[in-house]
Amino acid sequence: MGTRIASATRSAAFNVEACVIGAGVVGLAVARALSIAGKEVIVLERDSSIGSGTSSRNSEVIHSGIYYPQNSLKARLCVRGKKLIYEYCKDRAIPHEALGKLIVATNPRQVREDLPQIIKKAVGNGVHDLISLTGEDVNKYHEPQVSCEAAIFSPSTGIMDSHSYMVQLQADAEEHGMILSLNSPVNGAEIHKDGRITITSEGTDLLCNIVVNCAGLHADSILRMLLDSRDRDRDMMHQATNQKQALAPIHQYFAKGNYYRLEGQKCPFNHLVYPVPEGGGLGVHATIDLGRNTRFGPDVEWISPFDHRDPDTIDMDVDASRSDSFYDEVRKYWPGLKDGCLKPDYAGIRPKLGHPSNADGLYSVNADFIIHGRKDHGIHGLVSLMGIESPGLTASMAIGEEVLGRLVDDGAMYE
């Protein structure tokens, strides 16, 4: 259960050691890490429950760290996070299962070019358990109904109950004193010369030593509030500019991912089945949840940045007309899919740092996570997270560790 911060006059700000903005899976993992480290933590969540945004609209997959560029945050935090999350789920009896995943090549070019590159990336990231399979191996030992030229098997990829995981993160943090404030959107921010930050929520001011921006789809708007406050002070702006910390405006773009569920046909899969990755996502893959329900998705539906700068305006319904492309994609590796067996299920939004319409921008559509500390923006005690898409769930506990490390480097953990 979450509380709500009491209203207060502007002259009666509450002193808080650490404020985490956003109670999605990453915000809760960060709050847990901070509270266990001994900090007094309040979490501000704009919605009426935890994990109601991106965290509740994904595939619930524990990723292995296969695809991401070597030395990237995505690679390092996914590999570390996978270890932490399996241990945590086991220790806390959170439902999970290491089902394993097949990455299937459906044409000779993918066998020749893509699969070797995937293995090379995985090894570079410290993932050494991949197994190369022929199409015959796949049918004989793994998936009789999957059609492919060759495949890679990842035995450490799994599935989990993400809601139970978030509830446990919340419980751990609350056990160490964390306060969760629901229905508490952030309306304003002010940077002070003494190094503290005021966060305003629904008329209440919180005077904070530490602020961590885990606002998900709204993280860029929160960051702009903070940077605008810094830049209104000429001395702070001048200092940041001299130290090359005057961040250019960073915008998040949005890619909608639609999911369809399998109905009227028995699930043929024993493992998760992924095609070779496509631009902006991992392709329309087959996932099995802990109840043995089968879903396909997500696809990549880019949202126009001109029409939807505010993520709250995006239509979250699945367009039934998109099923044609789903049938085409799924039948590349499962030709036995029958007509009429795909039903619209749900959709999620990925926060992206790049967009196809902005090809000359600073970030690509597959840009790395951003975790910015003082050395990046010049604001003491602030860590801001942007573009936390997949593998954010898998990496969440490792992100908590990373944020602590940034705050230690800043000196903010010792105040």
Side-chain angles (χ1 to χ4, degrees), residues 221-280:
S221 62
I222 298 295
L223 180 60
R224 283 195 293 275
M225 285 185 197
L226 290 157
L227 293 181
D228 286 348
S229 172
R230 181 202 65 183
D231 296 346
R232 284 195 296 270
D233 186 297
R234 290 184 178 181
D235 291 337
M236 284 193 284
M237 179 59 186
H238 180 69
Q239 182 180 16
T241 301
N242 286 345
Q243 296 175 2
K244 299 182 179 179
Q245 295 167 330
L247 284 177
I250 299 174
H251 297 288
Q252 290 187 137
Y253 302 94
F254 306 115
K256 183 177 178 181
N258 299 278
Y259 291 85
Y260 282 76
R261 65 183 180 274
L262 182 67
E263 284 190 6
Q265 189 172 1
K266 184 179 179 181
C267 171
F269 306 118
N270 301 306
H271 310 287
L272 310 180
V273 181
Y274 281 55
V276 168
E278 61 179 26

Short mmCIF file of all heavy atoms in Angstrom, two decimals, residues 221-280:
data_model
loop_
_atom_site.label_atom_id
_atom_site.label_comp_id
_atom_site.label_asym_id
_atom_site.label_seq_id
_atom_site.Cartn_x
_atom_site.Cartn_y
_atom_site.Cartn_z
N SER A 221 10.77 14.95 -19.57
CA SER A 221 10.11 16.16 -19.07
C SER A 221 10.58 16.50 -17.66
O SER A 221 10.74 17.68 -17.32
CB SER A 221 8.59 16.00 -19.10
OG SER A 221 8.16 14.95 -18.27
N ILE A 222 10.84 15.48 -16.84
CA ILE A 222 11.38 15.72 -15.50
C ILE A 222 12.78 16.32 -15.60
O ILE A 222 13.13 17.29 -14.90
CB ILE A 222 11.42 14.42 -14.68
CG1 ILE A 222 10.00 13.85 -14.48
CG2 ILE A 222 12.12 14.64 -13.34
CD1 ILE A 222 9.08 14.71 -13.66
N LEU A 223 13.60 15.76 -16.49
CA LEU A 223 14.96 16.28 -16.65
C LEU A 223 14.94 17.73 -17.12
O LEU A 223 15.73 18.56 -16.66
CB LEU A 223 15.75 15.42 -17.64
CG LEU A 223 17.19 15.86 -17.91
CD1 LEU A 223 18.02 15.87 -16.63
CD2 LEU A 223 17.84 14.99 -18.97
N ARG A 224 14.03 18.07 -18.03
CA ARG A 224 13.95 19.44 -18.51
C ARG A 224 13.60 20.41 -17.38
O ARG A 224 14.11 21.53 -17.33
CB ARG A 224 12.96 19.56 -19.66
CG ARG A 224 13.50 19.03 -20.99
CD ARG A 224 12.64 19.48 -22.16
NE ARG A 224 11.32 18.90 -22.14
CZ ARG A 224 11.00 17.70 -22.64
NH1 ARG A 224 11.94 16.97 -23.19
NH2 ARG A 224 9.77 17.25 -22.60
N MET A 225 12.71 19.98 -16.46
CA MET A 225 12.41 20.82 -15.30
C MET A 225 13.68 21.12 -14.51
O MET A 225 13.93 22.27 -14.10
CB MET A 225 11.44 20.09 -14.35
CG MET A 225 10.00 20.04 -14.78
SD MET A 225 9.05 19.27 -13.44
CE MET A 225 7.55 18.84 -14.33
N LEU A 226 14.49 20.09 -14.29
CA LEU A 226 15.71 20.24 -13.49
C LEU A 226 16.74 21.10 -14.21
O LEU A 226 17.36 21.99 -13.61
CB LEU A 226 16.28 18.87 -13.16
CG LEU A 226 15.43 18.06 -12.17
CD1 LEU A 226 15.71 16.56 -12.31
CD2 LEU A 226 15.70 18.51 -10.74
N LEU A 227 16.93 20.86 -15.50
CA LEU A 227 17.91 21.64 -16.25
C LEU A 227 17.47 23.09 -16.40
O LEU A 227 18.30 24.01 -16.37
CB LEU A 227 18.14 21.01 -17.63
CG LEU A 227 18.81 19.64 -17.65
CD1 LEU A 227 18.98 19.15 -19.09
CD2 LEU A 227 20.14 19.65 -16.93
N ASP A 228 16.17 23.32 -16.56
CA ASP A 228 15.67 24.70 -16.66
C ASP A 228 15.96 25.46 -15.37
O ASP A 228 16.32 26.66 -15.40
CB ASP A 228 14.17 24.71 -16.94
CG ASP A 228 13.83 24.31 -18.38
OD1 ASP A 228 14.76 24.26 -19.20
OD2 ASP A 228 12.64 24.05 -18.64
N SER A 229 15.79 24.77 -14.23
CA SER A 229 16.08 25.42 -12.96
C SER A 229 17.57 25.75 -12.85
O SER A 229 17.94 26.86 -12.44
CB SER A 229 15.67 24.52 -11.80
OG SER A 229 16.10 25.05 -10.57
N ARG A 230 18.41 24.81 -13.24
CA ARG A 230 19.86 25.07 -13.21
C ARG A 230 20.22 26.26 -14.10
O ARG A 230 20.99 27.14 -13.72
CB ARG A 230 20.61 23.83 -13.68
CG ARG A 230 22.14 23.97 -13.68
CD ARG A 230 22.79 22.97 -14.61
NE ARG A 230 22.43 23.24 -16.01
CZ ARG A 230 22.84 22.47 -17.02
NH1 ARG A 230 23.56 21.41 -16.80
NH2 ARG A 230 22.49 22.79 -18.26
N ASP A 231 19.62 26.28 -15.28
CA ASP A 231 20.00 27.29 -16.26
C ASP A 231 19.45 28.68 -15.94
O ASP A 231 19.91 29.68 -16.51
CB ASP A 231 19.58 26.85 -17.66
CG ASP A 231 20.30 25.58 -18.11
OD1 ASP A 231 21.30 25.22 -17.44
OD2 ASP A 231 19.86 24.96 -19.08
N ARG A 232 18.47 28.76 -15.05
CA ARG A 232 17.96 30.08 -14.63
C ARG A 232 18.96 30.79 -13.72
O ARG A 232 18.91 32.01 -13.56
CB ARG A 232 16.62 29.94 -13.91
CG ARG A 232 15.44 29.67 -14.84
CD ARG A 232 14.12 29.90 -14.13
NE ARG A 232 13.91 28.98 -13.03
CZ ARG A 232 13.31 27.80 -13.13
NH1 ARG A 232 12.88 27.37 -14.32
NH2 ARG A 232 13.13 27.04 -12.08
N ASP A 233 19.86 30.01 -13.12
CA ASP A 233 20.89 30.60 -12.27
C ASP A 233 22.15 30.80 -13.11
O ASP A 233 22.77 29.84 -13.56
CB ASP A 233 21.18 29.68 -11.08
CG ASP A 233 22.15 30.31 -10.08
OD1 ASP A 233 23.31 30.57 -10.46
OD2 ASP A 233 21.74 30.53 -8.93
N ARG A 234 22.54 32.04 -13.33
CA ARG A 234 23.65 32.33 -14.24
C ARG A 234 24.95 31.71 -13.77
O ARG A 234 25.75 31.22 -14.57
CB ARG A 234 23.82 33.84 -14.38
CG ARG A 234 22.68 34.51 -15.15
CD ARG A 234 22.96 35.99 -15.33
NE ARG A 234 21.90 36.64 -16.10
CZ ARG A 234 21.90 37.93 -16.42
NH1 ARG A 234 22.92 38.70 -16.04
NH2 ARG A 234 20.91 38.44 -17.11
N ASP A 235 25.18 31.71 -12.45
CA ASP A 235 26.42 31.15 -11.93
C ASP A 235 26.49 29.65 -12.19
O ASP A 235 27.52 29.12 -12.62
CB ASP A 235 26.56 31.43 -10.43
CG ASP A 235 26.79 32.90 -10.14
OD1 ASP A 235 27.25 33.61 -11.05
OD2 ASP A 235 26.50 33.33 -9.01
N MET A 236 25.38 28.93 -11.92
CA MET A 236 25.39 27.48 -12.12
C MET A 236 25.49 27.15 -13.61
O MET A 236 26.18 26.21 -14.01
CB MET A 236 24.12 26.86 -11.52
CG MET A 236 24.16 26.74 -10.01
SD MET A 236 22.83 25.69 -9.35
CE MET A 236 21.43 26.79 -9.50
N MET A 237 24.81 27.93 -14.44
CA MET A 237 24.87 27.69 -15.88
C MET A 237 26.27 27.95 -16.40
O MET A 237 26.81 27.18 -17.21
CB MET A 237 23.87 28.60 -16.60
CG MET A 237 23.88 28.44 -18.12
SD MET A 237 23.51 26.75 -18.63
CE MET A 237 23.80 26.87 -20.40
N HIS A 238 26.90 29.03 -15.93
CA HIS A 238 28.27 29.36 -16.37
C HIS A 238 29.24 28.25 -15.97
O HIS A 238 30.09 27.83 -16.75
CB HIS A 238 28.69 30.69 -15.76
CG HIS A 238 30.08 31.11 -16.15
ND1 HIS A 238 30.40 31.51 -17.43
CD2 HIS A 238 31.24 31.18 -15.43
CE1 HIS A 238 31.69 31.81 -17.49
NE2 HIS A 238 32.21 31.62 -16.29
N GLN A 239 29.10 27.76 -14.74
CA GLN A 239 29.98 26.69 -14.27
C GLN A 239 29.78 25.42 -15.08
O GLN A 239 30.74 24.76 -15.48
CB GLN A 239 29.71 26.40 -12.79
CG GLN A 239 30.62 25.32 -12.20
CD GLN A 239 30.30 25.06 -10.73
OE1 GLN A 239 29.25 25.46 -10.24
NE2 GLN A 239 31.20 24.42 -10.04
N ALA A 240 28.51 25.05 -15.35
CA ALA A 240 28.23 23.85 -16.13
C ALA A 240 28.78 23.97 -17.55
O ALA A 240 29.34 23.02 -18.10
CB ALA A 240 26.73 23.58 -16.16
N THR A 241 28.65 25.17 -18.14
CA THR A 241 29.14 25.37 -19.51
C THR A 241 30.66 25.25 -19.55
O THR A 241 31.22 24.61 -20.45
CB THR A 241 28.70 26.75 -20.02
OG1 THR A 241 27.28 26.84 -19.99
CG2 THR A 241 29.18 26.96 -21.45
N ASN A 242 31.35 25.84 -18.58
CA ASN A 242 32.81 25.75 -18.54
C ASN A 242 33.29 24.32 -18.38
O ASN A 242 34.35 23.95 -18.88
CB ASN A 242 33.36 26.61 -17.38
CG ASN A 242 33.29 28.09 -17.69
OD1 ASN A 242 33.10 28.49 -18.84
ND2 ASN A 242 33.42 28.91 -16.66
N GLN A 243 32.51 23.50 -17.68
CA GLN A 243 32.90 22.11 -17.45
C GLN A 243 32.29 21.17 -18.50
O GLN A 243 32.33 19.96 -18.35
CB GLN A 243 32.46 21.67 -16.05
CG GLN A 243 33.17 22.45 -14.94
CD GLN A 243 32.65 22.09 -13.57
OE1 GLN A 243 31.78 21.25 -13.40
NE2 GLN A 243 33.19 22.75 -12.55
N LYS A 244 31.72 21.77 -19.55
CA LYS A 244 31.09 21.00 -20.64
C LYS A 244 29.99 20.07 -20.11
O LYS A 244 29.83 18.94 -20.54
CB LYS A 244 32.14 20.20 -21.42
CG LYS A 244 33.19 21.09 -22.08
CD LYS A 244 34.20 20.26 -22.88
CE LYS A 244 35.22 21.17 -23.55
NZ LYS A 244 36.23 20.42 -24.32
N GLN A 245 29.22 20.61 -19.14
CA GLN A 245 28.13 19.84 -18.55
C GLN A 245 26.77 20.42 -18.90
O GLN A 245 25.76 20.02 -18.32
CB GLN A 245 28.29 19.80 -17.02
CG GLN A 245 29.53 19.05 -16.57
CD GLN A 245 29.83 19.30 -15.11
OE1 GLN A 245 29.52 20.35 -14.58
NE2 GLN A 245 30.42 18.33 -14.46
N ALA A 246 26.73 21.36 -19.82
CA ALA A 246 25.46 21.98 -20.22
C ALA A 246 24.79 21.08 -21.24
O ALA A 246 24.91 21.27 -22.44
CB ALA A 246 25.70 23.37 -20.79
N LEU A 247 24.10 20.07 -20.75
CA LEU A 247 23.47 19.09 -21.63
C LEU A 247 22.55 19.75 -22.65
O LEU A 247 21.78 20.64 -22.31
CB LEU A 247 22.64 18.10 -20.81
CG LEU A 247 23.37 17.00 -20.03
CD1 LEU A 247 22.34 16.20 -19.24
CD2 LEU A 247 24.13 16.10 -20.96
N ALA A 248 22.65 19.30 -23.89
CA ALA A 248 21.66 19.70 -24.88
C ALA A 248 20.32 19.06 -24.50
O ALA A 248 20.29 18.04 -23.82
CB ALA A 248 22.09 19.24 -26.26
N PRO A 249 19.21 19.67 -24.90
CA PRO A 249 17.91 19.06 -24.60
C PRO A 249 17.84 17.62 -25.12
O PRO A 249 18.24 17.35 -26.25
CB PRO A 249 16.92 19.96 -25.33
CG PRO A 249 17.62 21.27 -25.47
CD PRO A 249 19.08 20.93 -25.64
N ILE A 250 17.42 16.72 -24.26
CA ILE A 250 17.30 15.32 -24.63
C ILE A 250 15.81 14.97 -24.66
O ILE A 250 15.11 15.17 -23.67
CB ILE A 250 18.03 14.40 -23.64
CG1 ILE A 250 19.53 14.73 -23.62
CG2 ILE A 250 17.83 12.94 -24.01
CD1 ILE A 250 20.31 13.98 -22.57
N HIS A 251 15.36 14.47 -25.79
CA HIS A 251 13.97 14.08 -25.92
C HIS A 251 13.88 12.57 -26.05
O HIS A 251 14.72 11.94 -26.70
CB HIS A 251 13.33 14.73 -27.15
CG HIS A 251 13.27 16.22 -27.08
ND1 HIS A 251 12.41 16.90 -26.25
CD2 HIS A 251 13.96 17.18 -27.75
CE1 HIS A 251 12.57 18.20 -26.40
NE2 HIS A 251 13.52 18.40 -27.30
N GLN A 252 12.87 12.01 -25.44
CA GLN A 252 12.57 10.61 -25.67
C GLN A 252 11.51 10.51 -26.77
O GLN A 252 10.58 11.31 -26.82
CB GLN A 252 12.07 9.94 -24.39
CG GLN A 252 13.14 9.77 -23.33
CD GLN A 252 12.67 8.96 -22.14
OE1 GLN A 252 13.39 8.13 -21.64
NE2 GLN A 252 11.46 9.20 -21.68
N TYR A 253 11.70 9.54 -27.62
CA TYR A 253 10.72 9.22 -28.64
C TYR A 253 10.04 7.92 -28.21
O TYR A 253 10.46 7.26 -27.26
CB TYR A 253 11.40 9.07 -30.00
CG TYR A 253 12.15 10.31 -30.44
CD1 TYR A 253 13.51 10.46 -30.18
CD2 TYR A 253 11.49 11.34 -31.10
CE1 TYR A 253 14.20 11.60 -30.57
CE2 TYR A 253 12.17 12.48 -31.50
CZ TYR A 253 13.53 12.61 -31.24
OH TYR A 253 14.19 13.74 -31.62
N PHE A 254 8.99 7.56 -28.94
CA PHE A 254 8.19 6.43 -28.48
C PHE A 254 7.95 5.43 -29.61
O PHE A 254 7.61 5.82 -30.74
CB PHE A 254 6.85 6.91 -27.92
CG PHE A 254 7.01 7.96 -26.85
CD1 PHE A 254 6.55 9.25 -27.04
CD2 PHE A 254 7.66 7.66 -25.67
CE1 PHE A 254 6.72 10.23 -26.06
CE2 PHE A 254 7.85 8.62 -24.69
CZ PHE A 254 7.37 9.91 -24.88
N ALA A 255 8.16 4.17 -29.29
CA ALA A 255 7.86 3.08 -30.21
C ALA A 255 6.84 2.16 -29.54
O ALA A 255 7.11 1.60 -28.47
CB ALA A 255 9.13 2.30 -30.56
N LYS A 256 5.69 2.06 -30.14
CA LYS A 256 4.63 1.21 -29.60
C LYS A 256 4.87 -0.23 -30.02
O LYS A 256 5.23 -0.50 -31.17
CB LYS A 256 3.26 1.69 -30.11
CG LYS A 256 2.07 0.92 -29.56
CD LYS A 256 0.77 1.53 -30.08
CE LYS A 256 -0.46 0.77 -29.61
NZ LYS A 256 -1.71 1.38 -30.14
N GLY A 257 4.72 -1.12 -29.09
CA GLY A 257 4.85 -2.55 -29.37
C GLY A 257 3.54 -3.26 -29.11
O GLY A 257 3.02 -3.24 -27.99
N ASN A 258 2.97 -3.88 -30.14
CA ASN A 258 1.69 -4.57 -30.02
C ASN A 258 1.91 -6.06 -29.80
O ASN A 258 2.82 -6.66 -30.38
CB ASN A 258 0.87 -4.35 -31.29
CG ASN A 258 0.57 -2.89 -31.55
OD1 ASN A 258 -0.35 -2.33 -30.99
ND2 ASN A 258 1.37 -2.26 -32.42
N TYR A 259 1.04 -6.66 -29.00
CA TYR A 259 1.09 -8.09 -28.73
C TYR A 259 -0.24 -8.74 -29.13
O TYR A 259 -1.31 -8.17 -28.92
CB TYR A 259 1.31 -8.37 -27.24
CG TYR A 259 2.68 -8.01 -26.72
CD1 TYR A 259 2.96 -6.71 -26.30
CD2 TYR A 259 3.69 -8.96 -26.61
CE1 TYR A 259 4.20 -6.37 -25.79
CE2 TYR A 259 4.93 -8.64 -26.09
CZ TYR A 259 5.18 -7.33 -25.69
OH TYR A 259 6.42 -7.00 -25.19
N TYR A 260 -0.12 -9.94 -29.67
CA TYR A 260 -1.29 -10.78 -29.96
C TYR A 260 -1.15 -12.08 -29.19
O TYR A 260 -0.04 -12.62 -29.04
CB TYR A 260 -1.38 -11.08 -31.47
CG TYR A 260 -1.93 -9.94 -32.29
CD1 TYR A 260 -1.14 -8.84 -32.60
CD2 TYR A 260 -3.24 -9.96 -32.76
CE1 TYR A 260 -1.62 -7.78 -33.34
CE2 TYR A 260 -3.74 -8.91 -33.50
CZ TYR A 260 -2.93 -7.82 -33.79
OH TYR A 260 -3.43 -6.77 -34.53
N ARG A 261 -2.28 -12.59 -28.71
CA ARG A 261 -2.27 -13.86 -27.99
C ARG A 261 -2.77 -14.98 -28.90
O ARG A 261 -3.56 -14.75 -29.83
CB ARG A 261 -3.11 -13.78 -26.73
CG ARG A 261 -4.59 -13.57 -26.97
CD ARG A 261 -5.37 -13.42 -25.67
NE ARG A 261 -6.79 -13.21 -25.91
CZ ARG A 261 -7.33 -12.02 -26.13
NH1 ARG A 261 -6.58 -10.94 -26.13
NH2 ARG A 261 -8.64 -11.91 -26.34
N LEU A 262 -2.33 -16.18 -28.63
CA LEU A 262 -2.75 -17.36 -29.38
C LEU A 262 -4.02 -17.92 -28.75
O LEU A 262 -4.05 -18.24 -27.55
CB LEU A 262 -1.64 -18.40 -29.37
CG LEU A 262 -1.89 -19.67 -30.16
CD1 LEU A 262 -1.96 -19.38 -31.66
CD2 LEU A 262 -0.79 -20.71 -29.88
N GLU A 263 -5.07 -18.06 -29.56
CA GLU A 263 -6.34 -18.64 -29.10
C GLU A 263 -6.83 -19.65 -30.12
O GLU A 263 -6.71 -19.44 -31.33
CB GLU A 263 -7.41 -17.56 -28.90
CG GLU A 263 -7.24 -16.73 -27.65
CD GLU A 263 -8.47 -15.84 -27.38
OE1 GLU A 263 -9.46 -15.97 -28.13
OE2 GLU A 263 -8.40 -15.03 -26.45
N GLY A 264 -7.42 -20.74 -29.63
CA GLY A 264 -8.01 -21.72 -30.52
C GLY A 264 -7.01 -22.68 -31.15
O GLY A 264 -7.36 -23.47 -32.03
N GLN A 265 -5.78 -22.62 -30.70
CA GLN A 265 -4.74 -23.52 -31.19
C GLN A 265 -3.76 -23.76 -30.06
O GLN A 265 -3.34 -22.83 -29.36
CB GLN A 265 -4.03 -22.92 -32.40
CG GLN A 265 -3.09 -23.87 -33.11
CD GLN A 265 -2.57 -23.30 -34.42
OE1 GLN A 265 -2.90 -22.16 -34.80
NE2 GLN A 265 -1.76 -24.06 -35.13
N LYS A 266 -3.39 -24.99 -29.86
CA LYS A 266 -2.50 -25.35 -28.76
C LYS A 266 -1.10 -24.78 -28.98
O LYS A 266 -0.58 -24.77 -30.09
CB LYS A 266 -2.42 -26.88 -28.63
CG LYS A 266 -1.60 -27.36 -27.45
CD LYS A 266 -1.60 -28.88 -27.37
CE LYS A 266 -0.75 -29.36 -26.21
NZ LYS A 266 -0.71 -30.85 -26.13
N CYS A 267 -0.50 -24.32 -27.89
CA CYS A 267 0.86 -23.81 -27.97
C CYS A 267 1.82 -24.92 -28.40
O CYS A 267 1.86 -25.98 -27.77
CB CYS A 267 1.31 -23.26 -26.62
SG CYS A 267 3.06 -22.83 -26.55
N PRO A 268 2.59 -24.70 -29.46
CA PRO A 268 3.49 -25.75 -29.94
C PRO A 268 4.90 -25.66 -29.36
O PRO A 268 5.74 -26.51 -29.66
CB PRO A 268 3.53 -25.48 -31.44
CG PRO A 268 3.45 -23.99 -31.53
CD PRO A 268 2.57 -23.54 -30.38
N PHE A 269 5.17 -24.64 -28.55
CA PHE A 269 6.54 -24.33 -28.18
C PHE A 269 6.90 -24.84 -26.79
O PHE A 269 6.08 -24.82 -25.86
CB PHE A 269 6.78 -22.82 -28.23
CG PHE A 269 6.42 -22.18 -29.54
CD1 PHE A 269 5.43 -21.21 -29.61
CD2 PHE A 269 7.05 -22.56 -30.71
CE1 PHE A 269 5.09 -20.63 -30.82
CE2 PHE A 269 6.72 -21.99 -31.93
CZ PHE A 269 5.73 -21.02 -31.98
N ASN A 270 8.15 -25.24 -26.64
CA ASN A 270 8.72 -25.58 -25.34
C ASN A 270 9.61 -24.47 -24.81
O ASN A 270 9.92 -24.44 -23.62
CB ASN A 270 9.55 -26.86 -25.47
CG ASN A 270 8.74 -28.03 -25.98
OD1 ASN A 270 7.70 -28.36 -25.41
ND2 ASN A 270 9.19 -28.65 -27.06
N HIS A 271 10.06 -23.61 -25.70
CA HIS A 271 10.97 -22.51 -25.35
C HIS A 271 10.43 -21.21 -25.94
O HIS A 271 9.49 -21.21 -26.74
CB HIS A 271 12.37 -22.76 -25.93
CG HIS A 271 12.93 -24.11 -25.65
ND1 HIS A 271 13.37 -24.50 -24.41
CD2 HIS A 271 13.11 -25.20 -26.46
CE1 HIS A 271 13.82 -25.74 -24.46
NE2 HIS A 271 13.66 -26.19 -25.69
N LEU A 272 11.04 -20.11 -25.57
CA LEU A 272 10.79 -18.85 -26.25
C LEU A 272 11.44 -18.94 -27.63
O LEU A 272 12.51 -19.53 -27.79
CB LEU A 272 11.40 -17.69 -25.47
CG LEU A 272 11.08 -17.61 -23.98
CD1 LEU A 272 11.76 -16.39 -23.36
CD2 LEU A 272 9.60 -17.59 -23.72
N VAL A 273 10.78 -18.36 -28.63
CA VAL A 273 11.31 -18.41 -30.00
C VAL A 273 11.38 -17.00 -30.54
O VAL A 273 10.37 -16.29 -30.61
CB VAL A 273 10.43 -19.29 -30.91
CG1 VAL A 273 11.03 -19.33 -32.32
CG2 VAL A 273 10.31 -20.71 -30.34
N TYR A 274 12.61 -16.60 -30.91
CA TYR A 274 12.85 -15.25 -31.42
C TYR A 274 13.40 -15.32 -32.83
O TYR A 274 14.28 -16.14 -33.11
CB TYR A 274 13.90 -14.52 -30.56
CG TYR A 274 13.40 -13.95 -29.26
CD1 TYR A 274 12.75 -14.74 -28.32
CD2 TYR A 274 13.62 -12.61 -28.94
CE1 TYR A 274 12.32 -14.22 -27.11
CE2 TYR A 274 13.19 -12.08 -27.72
CZ TYR A 274 12.54 -12.89 -26.82
OH TYR A 274 12.12 -12.36 -25.63
N PRO A 275 12.93 -14.45 -33.71
CA PRO A 275 13.61 -14.30 -35.00
C PRO A 275 14.90 -13.52 -34.82
O PRO A 275 15.18 -13.00 -33.73
CB PRO A 275 12.60 -13.52 -35.84
CG PRO A 275 11.87 -12.68 -34.82
CD PRO A 275 11.79 -13.52 -33.57
N VAL A 276 15.69 -13.43 -35.86
CA VAL A 276 16.86 -12.54 -35.84
C VAL A 276 16.36 -11.11 -35.62
O VAL A 276 15.34 -10.72 -36.21
CB VAL A 276 17.65 -12.68 -37.16
CG1 VAL A 276 18.68 -11.58 -37.30
CG2 VAL A 276 18.32 -14.05 -37.24
N PRO A 277 17.02 -10.30 -34.77
CA PRO A 277 16.51 -8.97 -34.43
C PRO A 277 16.35 -8.06 -35.64
O PRO A 277 17.07 -8.17 -36.64
CB PRO A 277 17.60 -8.40 -33.50
CG PRO A 277 18.27 -9.60 -32.94
CD PRO A 277 18.24 -10.65 -34.02
N GLU A 278 15.37 -7.16 -35.52
CA GLU A 278 15.11 -6.16 -36.55
C GLU A 278 15.33 -4.78 -35.97
O GLU A 278 15.53 -4.63 -34.75
CB GLU A 278 13.68 -6.28 -37.07
CG GLU A 278 12.63 -6.05 -35.99
CD GLU A 278 11.21 -6.14 -36.50
OE1 GLU A 278 10.98 -6.82 -37.51
OE2 GLU A 278 10.33 -5.52 -35.89
N GLY A 279 15.32 -3.76 -36.81
CA GLY A 279 15.58 -2.39 -36.36
C GLY A 279 14.59 -1.93 -35.32
O GLY A 279 13.38 -2.02 -35.52
N GLY A 280 15.09 -1.45 -34.16
CA GLY A 280 14.23 -0.90 -33.12
C GLY A 280 13.68 -1.91 -32.14
O GLY A 280 13.08 -1.55 -31.15
#
